[in-house]
Amino acid sequence: TKLEQLLQRIAKLKIFDPACGSGNFLIIAYKELRTLEIEIMQQIDEITQKPSMAFSQIYLNNFYGIEIDDFAHEIAKLSLWLAEHQMNMIFEKAFGRTMPALPLKDAGKIVCANACRIDWEQVCPKQPEDEIYILGNPPYLGARYQEPSHRDDIQFLLSNWNGCKSLDYITCWFYKGSHYIKQSQNKLAFVSTNSICQGEQMPIIWQQLFNLGIEIFFAHQSFKWTNNAKSNAGVTVIIIGLQAKNN
């Protein structure tokens, strides 16, 4: 019974990356949830001693993203379709059945927009009973590296914060994410430069977020973040998870 309840729970999860690029974080989240679902269904079959005829209940329309670059935004949708096909093949190997691939269904709600300007609830609507996880790797961009458009976004969102001109661009995502999750059970976690927890930025950012009733529920210490991109420059990052204050 508890395994079946867990299946129902993960089928309803919403995953939201408001800086999704070509969809890597969404793809990994989707594949991990599908893998977990397969393991749960195999345990249920083993306990009941009779194979169920159920199909996967984890659908791409529970995966949401915002991406400012039109090409990356289209790649994210295509990549989610491919991830679904890959996981359907794994499901078929495990259970001997799978959902038909055609016609193609919605590949999540991936919106091409500026995440600093769009209302996140337009992209990923939320209800009181929802369990939503916001995650991703938003652009860092310290004050010295920002272009006029980035400074305009910071001014648009944070003009009433003293010292906002010295903040990293990623602060915009922590600000909007904190407003999205406040007074709810939803959570967020972003890969971030460690500078937002050091020096002059630290008291500016965190006092404002804590005033919203937000707390840090987990954090990962500094580590080197690299990828396979051309001209890749390793950067030292942290991971910070936020939730509504919880006693």
Side-chain angles (χ1 to χ4, degrees):
T1 300
K2 288 186 176 181
L3 288 171
E4 288 171 348
Q5 290 171 349
L6 181 56
L7 277 180
Q8 294 170 12
R9 178 186 172 192
I10 66 173
K12 294 176 182 177
L13 294 184
K14 292 182 177 181
I15 308 296
F16 178 22
D17 184 347
C20 69
S22 56
N24 202 42
F25 278 62
L26 293 175
I27 293 162
I28 297 299
Y30 174 78
K31 286 185 172 182
E32 290 295 328
L33 285 173
R34 287 289 306 267
T35 300
L36 178 60
E37 180 187 51
I38 288 170
E39 292 174 0
I40 295 168
M41 292 175 72
Q42 286 174 328
Q43 285 197 31
I44 291 173
D45 288 356
E46 186 177 331
I47 292 168
T48 60
Q49 293 296 304
K50 55 181 182 181
S52 72
M53 293 307 295
F55 292 101
S56 173
Q57 298 300 306
I58 296 173
Y59 300 120
L60 292 180
N61 57 12
N62 273 355
F63 291 76
Y64 302 79
I66 304 172
E67 173 51 42
I68 197 168
D69 181 82
D70 183 57
F71 182 73
H73 148 264
E74 292 294 335
I75 291 296
K77 294 199 292 185
L78 175 61
S79 298
L80 280 168
W81 267 323
L82 292 172
E84 181 183 51
H85 176 69
Q86 289 172 338
M87 294 312 300
N88 284 345
M89 295 301 96
I90 293 172
F91 189 97
E92 184 175 27
K93 187 175 180 180
F95 298 107
R97 61 185 185 276
T98 190
M99 295 286 284
L102 296 174
L104 290 175
K105 299 174 285 295
D106 289 342
K109 186 169 182 180
I110 313 297
V111 175
C112 186
N114 182 343
C116 297
R117 305 288 179 134
I118 193 173
D119 181 355
W120 289 10
E121 286 196 53
Q122 288 182 11
V123 180
C124 183
K126 59 180 181 177
Q127 302 296 328
E129 68 275 10
D130 280 343
E131 187 175 356
I132 303 172
Y133 292 94
I134 303 173
L135 45 78
N137 180 26
Y140 312 134
L141 293 176
R144 289 182 299 167
Y145 303 103
Q146 292 166 12
E147 297 178 2
S149 61
H150 304 133
R151 298 189 187 99
D152 288 345
D153 287 340
I154 291 174
Q155 192 66 24
F156 176 78
L157 287 174
L158 310 173
S159 59
N160 62 335
W161 290 19
N162 291 327
C164 71
K165 292 182 179 179
S166 66
L167 300 177
D168 288 3
Y169 190 44
I170 197 173
T171 307
C172 297
W173 274 259
F174 279 103
Y175 171 81
K176 295 204 70 167
S178 295
H179 275 275
Y180 186 97
I181 67 171
K182 68 179 183 180
Q183 298 176 336
S184 75
Q185 65 174 342
N186 306 316
K187 298 181 181 183
L188 74 80
F190 291 138
V191 179
S192 171
T193 43
N194 57 13
S195 53
I196 69 165
C197 290
Q198 298 173 351
E200 63 179 344
Q201 294 195 67
M202 190 269 291
I204 300 171
I205 296 169
W206 293 104
Q207 190 57 57
Q208 293 283 352
L209 299 186
F210 293 154
N211 287 344
L212 295 173
I214 296 296
E215 67 180 5
I216 297 172
F217 77 94
F218 92 91
H220 194 294
Q221 290 188 357
S222 298
F223 64 98
K224 200 79 168 176
W225 177 275
T226 58
N227 58 38
N228 295 322
K230 187 178 180 181
S231 305
N232 174 52
V235 61
T236 300
V237 299
I238 53 179
I239 305 175
I240 302 178
L242 302 182
Q243 66 181 10
K245 197 168 184 181
N246 188 323
N247 291 328

